[in-house]
PDB file of all heavy atoms in Angstrom:
ATOM      1  N   VAL A   5     117.233  16.855 -41.550  1.00  0.00           N
ATOM      2  CA  VAL A   5     116.360  17.967 -41.063  1.00  0.00           C
ATOM      3  C   VAL A   5     116.179  18.950 -42.206  1.00  0.00           C
ATOM      4  O   VAL A   5     117.205  19.606 -42.590  1.00  0.00           O
ATOM      5  CB  VAL A   5     116.940  18.648 -39.815  1.00  0.00           C
ATOM      6  CG1 VAL A   5     116.078  19.803 -39.402  1.00  0.00           C
ATOM      7  CG2 VAL A   5     117.088  17.665 -38.731  1.00  0.00           C
ATOM      8  N   GLU A   6     114.917  19.145 -42.629  1.00  0.00           N
ATOM      9  CA  GLU A   6     114.688  20.178 -43.684  1.00  0.00           C
ATOM     10  C   GLU A   6     114.411  21.495 -43.111  1.00  0.00           C
ATOM     11  O   GLU A   6     113.923  21.583 -42.006  1.00  0.00           O
ATOM     12  CB  GLU A   6     113.447  19.727 -44.544  1.00  0.00           C
ATOM     13  CG  GLU A   6     113.593  18.324 -45.158  1.00  0.00           C
ATOM     14  CD  GLU A   6     112.892  17.246 -44.344  1.00  0.00           C
ATOM     15  OE1 GLU A   6     112.815  17.394 -43.120  1.00  0.00           O
ATOM     16  OE2 GLU A   6     112.413  16.202 -44.931  1.00  0.00           O
ATOM     17  N   SER A   7     114.691  22.508 -43.965  1.00  0.00           N
ATOM     18  CA  SER A   7     114.316  23.846 -43.596  1.00  0.00           C
ATOM     19  C   SER A   7     114.187  24.654 -44.846  1.00  0.00           C
ATOM     20  O   SER A   7     114.586  24.263 -45.906  1.00  0.00           O
ATOM     21  CB  SER A   7     115.433  24.470 -42.624  1.00  0.00           C
ATOM     22  OG  SER A   7     116.702  24.529 -43.302  1.00  0.00           O
ATOM     23  N   GLY A   8     113.661  25.869 -44.640  1.00  0.00           N
ATOM     24  CA  GLY A   8     113.608  26.811 -45.786  1.00  0.00           C
ATOM     25  C   GLY A   8     112.167  26.952 -46.337  1.00  0.00           C
ATOM     26  O   GLY A   8     111.992  27.836 -47.296  1.00  0.00           O
ATOM     27  N   GLY A   9     111.216  26.157 -45.911  1.00  0.00           N
ATOM     28  CA  GLY A   9     109.858  26.320 -46.407  1.00  0.00           C
ATOM     29  C   GLY A   9     109.274  27.652 -45.897  1.00  0.00           C
ATOM     30  O   GLY A   9     109.744  28.263 -45.009  1.00  0.00           O
ATOM     31  N   GLY A  10     108.101  27.930 -46.580  1.00  0.00           N
ATOM     32  CA  GLY A  10     107.409  29.107 -46.174  1.00  0.00           C
ATOM     33  C   GLY A  10     106.311  29.400 -47.154  1.00  0.00           C
ATOM     34  O   GLY A  10     105.922  28.583 -47.955  1.00  0.00           O
ATOM     35  N   LEU A  11     105.726  30.605 -46.951  1.00  0.00           N
ATOM     36  CA  LEU A  11     104.642  31.112 -47.840  1.00  0.00           C
ATOM     37  C   LEU A  11     105.155  32.132 -48.817  1.00  0.00           C
ATOM     38  O   LEU A  11     105.788  33.081 -48.405  1.00  0.00           O
ATOM     39  CB  LEU A  11     103.578  31.744 -46.955  1.00  0.00           C
ATOM     40  CG  LEU A  11     102.462  32.459 -47.634  1.00  0.00           C
ATOM     41  CD1 LEU A  11     101.640  31.467 -48.469  1.00  0.00           C
ATOM     42  CD2 LEU A  11     101.527  33.139 -46.628  1.00  0.00           C
ATOM     43  N   VAL A  12     105.039  31.845 -50.089  1.00  0.00           N
ATOM     44  CA  VAL A  12     105.438  32.701 -51.161  1.00  0.00           C
ATOM     45  C   VAL A  12     104.344  32.922 -52.212  1.00  0.00           C
ATOM     46  O   VAL A  12     103.323  32.250 -52.169  1.00  0.00           O
ATOM     47  CB  VAL A  12     106.708  32.213 -51.858  1.00  0.00           C
ATOM     48  CG1 VAL A  12     107.855  32.115 -50.869  1.00  0.00           C
ATOM     49  CG2 VAL A  12     106.428  30.866 -52.516  1.00  0.00           C
ATOM     50  N   GLN A  13     104.568  33.895 -53.035  1.00  0.00           N
ATOM     51  CA  GLN A  13     103.634  34.142 -54.187  1.00  0.00           C
ATOM     52  C   GLN A  13     104.072  33.372 -55.374  1.00  0.00           C
ATOM     53  O   GLN A  13     105.165  33.029 -55.586  1.00  0.00           O
ATOM     54  CB  GLN A  13     103.672  35.676 -54.518  1.00  0.00           C
ATOM     55  CG  GLN A  13     103.108  36.590 -53.463  1.00  0.00           C
ATOM     56  CD  GLN A  13     101.608  36.636 -53.533  1.00  0.00           C
ATOM     57  OE1 GLN A  13     100.954  35.985 -52.777  1.00  0.00           O
ATOM     58  NE2 GLN A  13     101.088  37.418 -54.480  1.00  0.00           N
ATOM     59  N   ALA A  14     103.047  33.063 -56.176  1.00  0.00           N
ATOM     60  CA  ALA A  14     103.342  32.432 -57.516  1.00  0.00           C
ATOM     61  C   ALA A  14     104.376  33.214 -58.316  1.00  0.00           C
ATOM     62  O   ALA A  14     104.256  34.451 -58.307  1.00  0.00           O
ATOM     63  CB  ALA A  14     102.026  32.251 -58.280  1.00  0.00           C
ATOM     64  N   GLY A  15     105.323  32.613 -58.811  1.00  0.00           N
ATOM     65  CA  GLY A  15     106.413  33.141 -59.531  1.00  0.00           C
ATOM     66  C   GLY A  15     107.619  33.419 -58.745  1.00  0.00           C
ATOM     67  O   GLY A  15     108.713  33.671 -59.298  1.00  0.00           O
ATOM     68  N   ASP A  16     107.510  33.318 -57.456  1.00  0.00           N
ATOM     69  CA  ASP A  16     108.655  33.512 -56.558  1.00  0.00           C
ATOM     70  C   ASP A  16     109.617  32.338 -56.505  1.00  0.00           C
ATOM     71  O   ASP A  16     109.327  31.295 -57.067  1.00  0.00           O
ATOM     72  CB  ASP A  16     108.199  33.873 -55.153  1.00  0.00           C
ATOM     73  CG  ASP A  16     107.652  35.263 -55.008  1.00  0.00           C
ATOM     74  OD1 ASP A  16     107.754  36.066 -55.926  1.00  0.00           O
ATOM     75  OD2 ASP A  16     107.087  35.598 -53.919  1.00  0.00           O
ATOM     76  N   SER A  17     110.689  32.473 -55.840  1.00  0.00           N
ATOM     77  CA  SER A  17     111.680  31.457 -55.594  1.00  0.00           C
ATOM     78  C   SER A  17     111.881  31.176 -54.165  1.00  0.00           C
ATOM     79  O   SER A  17     111.623  32.019 -53.293  1.00  0.00           O
ATOM     80  CB  SER A  17     113.064  31.825 -56.229  1.00  0.00           C
ATOM     81  OG  SER A  17     112.960  32.052 -57.653  1.00  0.00           O
ATOM     82  N   LEU A  18     112.312  29.915 -53.925  1.00  0.00           N
ATOM     83  CA  LEU A  18     112.526  29.484 -52.568  1.00  0.00           C
ATOM     84  C   LEU A  18     113.645  28.408 -52.594  1.00  0.00           C
ATOM     85  O   LEU A  18     113.643  27.625 -53.579  1.00  0.00           O
ATOM     86  CB  LEU A  18     111.255  28.895 -51.967  1.00  0.00           C
ATOM     87  CG  LEU A  18     111.075  28.846 -50.502  1.00  0.00           C
ATOM     88  CD1 LEU A  18     111.154  30.215 -49.819  1.00  0.00           C
ATOM     89  CD2 LEU A  18     109.720  28.139 -50.170  1.00  0.00           C
ATOM     90  N   ARG A  19     114.494  28.380 -51.597  1.00  0.00           N
ATOM     91  CA  ARG A  19     115.512  27.320 -51.574  1.00  0.00           C
ATOM     92  C   ARG A  19     115.319  26.566 -50.234  1.00  0.00           C
ATOM     93  O   ARG A  19     115.383  27.081 -49.139  1.00  0.00           O
ATOM     94  CB  ARG A  19     116.921  27.901 -51.585  1.00  0.00           C
ATOM     95  CG  ARG A  19     117.959  26.847 -51.678  1.00  0.00           C
ATOM     96  CD  ARG A  19     119.298  27.354 -51.735  1.00  0.00           C
ATOM     97  NE  ARG A  19     119.886  27.839 -50.438  1.00  0.00           N
ATOM     98  CZ  ARG A  19     121.136  27.953 -50.101  1.00  0.00           C
ATOM     99  NH1 ARG A  19     122.051  27.763 -51.135  1.00  0.00           N
ATOM    100  NH2 ARG A  19     121.559  28.391 -48.945  1.00  0.00           N
ATOM    101  N   LEU A  20     115.082  25.240 -50.453  1.00  0.00           N
ATOM    102  CA  LEU A  20     115.040  24.307 -49.271  1.00  0.00           C
ATOM    103  C   LEU A  20     116.406  23.721 -48.972  1.00  0.00           C
ATOM    104  O   LEU A  20     117.187  23.492 -49.907  1.00  0.00           O
ATOM    105  CB  LEU A  20     114.065  23.237 -49.623  1.00  0.00           C
ATOM    106  CG  LEU A  20     112.603  23.624 -50.057  1.00  0.00           C
ATOM    107  CD1 LEU A  20     111.749  22.331 -50.208  1.00  0.00           C
ATOM    108  CD2 LEU A  20     112.003  24.520 -49.000  1.00  0.00           C
ATOM    109  N   SER A  21     116.592  23.463 -47.754  1.00  0.00           N
ATOM    110  CA  SER A  21     117.848  22.819 -47.304  1.00  0.00           C
ATOM    111  C   SER A  21     117.579  21.589 -46.534  1.00  0.00           C
ATOM    112  O   SER A  21     116.570  21.563 -45.837  1.00  0.00           O
ATOM    113  CB  SER A  21     118.764  23.766 -46.491  1.00  0.00           C
ATOM    114  OG  SER A  21     119.074  24.915 -47.148  1.00  0.00           O
ATOM    115  N   CYS A  22     118.449  20.612 -46.595  1.00  0.00           N
ATOM    116  CA  CYS A  22     118.326  19.452 -45.810  1.00  0.00           C
ATOM    117  C   CYS A  22     119.706  19.109 -45.221  1.00  0.00           C
ATOM    118  O   CYS A  22     120.592  18.736 -45.951  1.00  0.00           O
ATOM    119  CB  CYS A  22     117.812  18.266 -46.650  1.00  0.00           C
ATOM    120  SG  CYS A  22     117.792  16.659 -45.769  1.00  0.00           S
ATOM    121  N   ALA A  23     119.770  19.229 -43.921  1.00  0.00           N
ATOM    122  CA  ALA A  23     121.055  18.937 -43.185  1.00  0.00           C
ATOM    123  C   ALA A  23     121.059  17.492 -42.743  1.00  0.00           C
ATOM    124  O   ALA A  23     120.140  17.091 -42.120  1.00  0.00           O
ATOM    125  CB  ALA A  23     121.226  19.895 -42.024  1.00  0.00           C
ATOM    126  N   ALA A  24     122.140  16.850 -43.008  1.00  0.00           N
ATOM    127  CA  ALA A  24     122.308  15.415 -42.666  1.00  0.00           C
ATOM    128  C   ALA A  24     123.320  15.268 -41.544  1.00  0.00           C
ATOM    129  O   ALA A  24     124.279  16.035 -41.489  1.00  0.00           O
ATOM    130  CB  ALA A  24     122.717  14.573 -43.809  1.00  0.00           C
ATOM    131  N   SER A  25     123.093  14.349 -40.609  1.00  0.00           N
ATOM    132  CA  SER A  25     124.007  14.124 -39.508  1.00  0.00           C
ATOM    133  C   SER A  25     125.132  13.197 -39.782  1.00  0.00           C
ATOM    134  O   SER A  25     126.164  13.172 -39.084  1.00  0.00           O
ATOM    135  CB  SER A  25     123.238  13.592 -38.347  1.00  0.00           C
ATOM    136  OG  SER A  25     122.691  12.361 -38.569  1.00  0.00           O
ATOM    137  N   GLY A  26     125.000  12.340 -40.790  1.00  0.00           N
ATOM    138  CA  GLY A  26     126.031  11.315 -41.094  1.00  0.00           C
ATOM    139  C   GLY A  26     127.382  11.856 -41.486  1.00  0.00           C
ATOM    140  O   GLY A  26     127.475  12.843 -42.122  1.00  0.00           O
ATOM    141  N   ARG A  27     128.369  11.099 -41.104  1.00  0.00           N
ATOM    142  CA  ARG A  27     129.756  11.444 -41.422  1.00  0.00           C
ATOM    143  C   ARG A  27     130.188  10.847 -42.788  1.00  0.00           C
ATOM    144  O   ARG A  27     131.265  11.116 -43.282  1.00  0.00           O
ATOM    145  CB  ARG A  27     130.757  10.949 -40.344  1.00  0.00           C
ATOM    146  CG  ARG A  27     130.731   9.413 -40.120  1.00  0.00           C
ATOM    147  CD  ARG A  27     131.650   9.101 -38.934  1.00  0.00           C
ATOM    148  NE  ARG A  27     131.559   7.694 -38.602  1.00  0.00           N
ATOM    149  CZ  ARG A  27     132.259   6.763 -39.199  1.00  0.00           C
ATOM    150  NH1 ARG A  27     133.151   7.029 -40.131  1.00  0.00           N
ATOM    151  NH2 ARG A  27     132.140   5.432 -38.815  1.00  0.00           N
ATOM    152  N   THR A  28     129.305  10.052 -43.447  1.00  0.00           N
ATOM    153  CA  THR A  28     129.531   9.578 -44.742  1.00  0.00           C
ATOM    154  C   THR A  28     128.483  10.078 -45.729  1.00  0.00           C
ATOM    155  O   THR A  28     127.988   9.370 -46.574  1.00  0.00           O
ATOM    156  CB  THR A  28     129.465   7.996 -44.728  1.00  0.00           C
ATOM    157  OG1 THR A  28     128.224   7.584 -44.156  1.00  0.00           O
ATOM    158  CG2 THR A  28     130.635   7.490 -43.812  1.00  0.00           C
TER     159      THR A  28
END
Side-chain angles (χ1 to χ4, degrees):
V5 180
E6 303 97 332
S7 62
L11 173 63
V12 298
Q13 292 279 101
D16 285 352
S17 297
L18 201 61
R19 189 179 77 161
L20 305 183
S21 299
C22 176
S25 64
R27 58 184 176 87
T28 57

